[in-house]
């Protein structure tokens, strides 16, 4: 499970396994070390859950705070996947954790089909041509002088053209190719190939990294891509982990989701949807400034405001761990100082041993309230069919936590 250590495992890593092991360690997912005397392996997991497929064995990291069925519902809720659990008749998984990859792929496929029906996004793309038969756009003076010197009776121009070959669609095409390689379901593979054939004549294939997502500015024209790009980010973040092995014989792909982000987004979305007071996700703000110009920022996860939206009523910060740390308390104290409040909440996932607690500062009117949320209970309420009962029960859950 997450954060768990396993020692004295009698397994061996071959050369390709060593590469994958280094990649997992670099990404902060899983650390594998060998004992020089016994030659046995030690495994140490972080907060990312998923499956890593090695040559002769598979490492599965399961969630610490919820079961696998609720994990699927949790990810479905956080990322608005709009999917159902895959039917058992469609694929036989080696174990329950293998569902994660196929569920992400299925959701991505469904959203791609809906997006194509809605219409791919067109944007203006800048082109430069040195041999235009007529003047178009603006003249490129240097290139035009070169044409004149060569007695080339053509125009060197720069112009904008409205087309599908933009970064928004290049991300989709790249992820379609990757999902086609990953999925073990033949019907899904055929559907992915069909979409690739539809998009490829309009969009150039290019390698995509997480940095490319930072270049996209979502406006009212391309806002409908935001949701599917969230899935694309998950897919792109796992590329490199799954590409070490060429063979396609295993049912398992290496695929991981960071539960820190899932838990933070889950609680914020729950607050925003069901808490009676308005809330807002925060952006980093400068909290310290040195005389030499150095600055430090902070960002509480959630601020809940009063009815007028002008005064902060509650400061909440999620911590995906079993117990609060001293550094977390200091961080919350900094938030309180900046917002002019004397109390704040640290929200942690609930376990059998969880007990609400409060940390009172000595000689200062500052208190950090540690509260726990039962993820499985919250997921059950979220998927309650009766909306009035769902709303009432979730608000009762908030009253137990924020008081």
């Amino acid at each position: 499970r997450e954060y768990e250590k396993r020692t004295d495992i009698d397994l061996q890593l071959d050369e390709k396994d060593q590469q994958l092991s280094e990649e997992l360690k670099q990404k902060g997912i899983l650390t594998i070390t060998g004992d020089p005397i016994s030659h046995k392996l030690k495994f140490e997991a972080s907060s990312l859950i998923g499956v890593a497929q090695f040559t002769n064995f598979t490492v599965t990291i399961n969630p610490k705070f919820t079961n696998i069925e609720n994990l699927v519902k949790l990810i479905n809720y956080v990322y608005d996947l709009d999917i159902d659990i895959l039917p058992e008749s469609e694929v036989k998984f080696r174990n329950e954790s293998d569902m994660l990859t196929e569920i992400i792929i299925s959701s991505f496929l469904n959203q791609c089909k809906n997006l194509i029906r809605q219409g791919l996004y067109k944007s203006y793309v800048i082109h430069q041509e040195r041999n235009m038969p007529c003047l178009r756009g603006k003249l490129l003076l240097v290139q035009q002088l070169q044409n004149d010197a060569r007695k080339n009776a053509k125009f060197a121009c720069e112009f904008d053209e409205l087309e599908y070959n933009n970064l928004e669609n290049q991300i989709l095409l790249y992820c379609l190719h990757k999902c086609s390689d990953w999925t073990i379901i033949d019907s899904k593979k055929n559907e992915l190939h069909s979409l690739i054939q539809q998009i490829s004549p309009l969009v150039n294939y290019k390698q995509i990294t997480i940095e490319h997502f930072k270049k996209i500015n979502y406006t009212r024209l391309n806002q409908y891509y935001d949701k599917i790009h969230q899935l694309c980010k998950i897919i792109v973040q796992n590329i490199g982990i799954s590409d070490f092995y060429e063979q396609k014989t295993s049912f398992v792909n290496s695929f991981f989701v960071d539960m820190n982000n899932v838990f933070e987004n889950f609680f914020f979305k729950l607050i925003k949807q069901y808490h009676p007071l308005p809330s807002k996700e925060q952006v980093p703000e400068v909290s310290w400034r040195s005389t030499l110009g150095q600055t430090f920022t902070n960002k509480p996860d959630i601020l809940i405001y009063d009815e007028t939206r002008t005064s902060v009523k509650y400061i909440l910060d999620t911590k995906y761990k079993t117990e609060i740390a001293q550094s977390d308390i200091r961080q919350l104290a900094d938030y309180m100082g900046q917002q002019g409040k004397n109390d704040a909440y640290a929200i942690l996932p609930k376990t059998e041993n969880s007990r609400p607690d409060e940390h009172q500062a000595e000689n200062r009117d500052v208190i950090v309230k540690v509260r726990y949320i039962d993820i499985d209970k919250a997921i059950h309420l979220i998927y309650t069919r009766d909306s009035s009962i769902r709303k009432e029960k979730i608000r009762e859950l908030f009253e137990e936590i924020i008081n």
Side-chain angles (χ1 to χ4, degrees):
R1 292 183 180 271
E2 300 163 285
Y3 300 112
E4 188 178 350
K5 297 178 183 179
R6 297 285 299 275
T7 58
D8 294 329
I9 307 298
D10 193 12
L11 293 169
Q12 300 297 321
L13 299 177
D14 67 14
E15 186 175 344
K16 281 190 176 180
D17 288 338
Q18 293 285 358
Q19 296 178 43
L20 177 55
S21 177
E22 285 299 317
E23 182 76 10
L24 293 169
K25 181 179 179 181
Q26 184 180 353
K27 290 179 177 289
I29 296 171
L30 179 70
T31 301
I32 304 175
T33 53
D35 189 298
I37 299 175
S38 67
H39 302 292
K40 293 184 178 181
L41 299 180
K42 173 184 175 183
F43 295 81
E44 186 172 353
S46 68
S47 65
L48 285 90
I49 57 99
V51 180
Q53 176 64 60
F54 292 86
T55 303
N56 298 313
F57 62 91
T58 301
V59 179
T60 302
I61 304 175
N62 287 314
K64 181 185 280 289
F65 300 104
T66 185
N67 61 49
I68 191 68
E69 181 181 348
N70 280 341
L71 171 66
V72 173
K73 292 180 180 178
L74 179 64
I75 293 174
N76 189 19
Y77 174 69
V78 168
Y79 292 107
D80 287 327
L81 301 189
D82 299 331
I83 56 172
D84 296 322
I85 303 288
L86 291 175
E88 291 183 6
S89 59
E90 197 167 78
V91 61
K92 182 175 177 60
F93 294 102
R94 181 181 294 180
N95 60 51
E96 290 176 319
S97 295
D98 301 345
M99 288 193 292
L100 191 57
T101 307
E102 293 297 342
I103 283 169
I104 295 296
I105 291 173
S106 294
S107 178
F108 174 67
L109 176 60
N110 290 337
Q111 290 191 29
C112 273
K113 290 190 289 189
N114 292 335
L115 189 143
I116 289 174
R117 281 194 290 268
Q118 184 176 350
L120 291 176
Y121 171 63
K122 276 187 174 183
S123 63
Y124 283 101
V125 179
I126 297 175
H127 293 275
Q128 290 186 353
E129 295 288 347
R130 299 187 61 161
N131 296 295
M132 293 289 292
C134 59
L135 182 61
R136 183 179 181 185
K138 66 180 182 180
L139 193 68
L140 298 172
L141 185 57
V142 174
Q143 291 88 336
Q144 186 61 44
L145 290 173
Q146 292 172 350
N147 280 357
D148 293 342
R150 290 192 291 266
K151 297 183 179 181
N152 180 11
K154 300 288 185 179
F155 291 96
C157 306
E158 181 179 279
F159 57 92
D160 293 335
E161 192 164 48
L162 194 62
E163 58 185 52
Y164 295 109
N165 189 31
N166 48 51
L167 183 56
E168 285 87 344
N169 292 322
Q170 288 168 352
I171 289 173
L172 295 187
L173 182 60
Y174 180 69
C175 291
L176 282 169
H177 277 281
K178 288 301 174 182
C179 289
S180 175
D181 292 338
W182 286 350
T183 184
I184 62 170
I185 305 174
D186 289 337
S187 61
K188 291 287 184 287
K189 195 179 288 288
N190 292 335
E191 289 183 275
L192 289 162
H193 284 163
S194 176
L195 292 181
I196 290 170
Q197 290 174 356
Q198 291 181 56
I199 297 177
S200 291
L202 308 172
V203 180
N204 294 337
Y205 178 85
K206 66 180 288 186
Q207 295 283 335
I208 298 295
T209 69
I210 288 297
E211 294 302 313
H212 286 99
F213 291 91
K214 299 176 183 178
K215 299 178 182 179
I216 297 179
N217 180 34
Y218 294 103
T219 66
R220 63 180 182 84
L221 297 177
N222 66 349
Q223 188 65 44
Y224 65 108
Y225 273 69
D226 187 18
K227 182 176 176 180
I228 195 169
H229 278 172
Q230 294 299 320
L231 278 178
C232 291
K233 283 182 184 178
I234 298 175
I235 293 166
V236 170
Q237 284 169 340
N238 283 275
I239 291 169
I241 300 176
S242 291
D243 288 350
F244 281 96
Y245 305 96
E246 296 177 0
Q247 68 267 21
K248 305 296 181 184
T249 56
S250 173
F251 280 113
V252 184
N253 282 299
S254 301
F255 202 91
F256 290 88
V257 171
D258 190 343
M259 289 300 293
N260 278 308
N261 294 334
V262 171
F263 181 64
E264 178 182 333
N265 292 331
F266 155 71
F267 192 72
F268 174 69
K269 185 173 182 178
L270 200 64
I271 288 285
K272 196 170 184 65
Q273 280 190 322
Y274 295 104
H275 198 278
L277 293 175
S279 58
K280 187 171 69 174
E281 193 172 14
Q282 300 306 297
V283 295
E285 296 181 358
V286 174
S287 59
W288 296 87
R289 191 185 303 274
S290 76
T291 55
L292 298 177
Q294 188 177 13
T295 59
F296 297 98
T297 62
N298 68 28
K299 183 184 79 69
D301 291 336
I302 307 165
L303 295 181
I304 298 179
Y305 295 83
D306 62 11
E307 291 85 350
T308 64
R309 296 178 177 267
T310 57
S311 179
V312 174
K313 193 170 182 67
Y314 302 112
I315 299 172
L316 298 95
D317 206 59
T318 57
K319 303 294 180 186
Y320 190 70
K321 52 180 66 174
T322 55
E323 58 185 27
I324 198 77
Q326 189 175 18
S327 58
D328 299 326
I329 295 173
R330 288 172 177 166
Q331 183 185 47
L332 284 160
D334 194 22
Y335 297 157
M336 285 183 266
Q338 189 173 25
Q339 298 296 334
K341 299 287 291 181
N342 61 0
D343 64 347
Y345 289 83
I347 310 297
L348 284 66
K350 189 174 184 178
T351 67
E352 292 181 358
N353 300 321
S354 299
R355 299 291 182 271
D357 199 1
E358 297 185 359
H359 297 262
Q360 175 73 55
E362 293 290 332
N363 304 319
R364 286 178 295 162
D365 186 19
V366 173
I367 186 168
V368 173
K369 300 178 180 181
V370 182
R371 300 290 186 265
Y372 297 87
I373 181 168
D374 188 328
I375 296 177
D376 290 335
K377 180 179 179 180
I379 290 297
H380 173 72
L381 294 176
I382 288 169
Y383 285 90
T384 301
R385 292 186 179 276
D386 191 315
S387 59
S388 60
I389 294 177
R390 178 171 65 244
K391 185 176 181 179
E392 178 187 353
K393 293 298 182 181
I394 292 177
R395 287 194 173 184
E396 288 177 3
L397 187 67
F398 286 148
E399 291 175 2
E400 297 175 7
I401 297 171
I402 306 170
N403 50 51

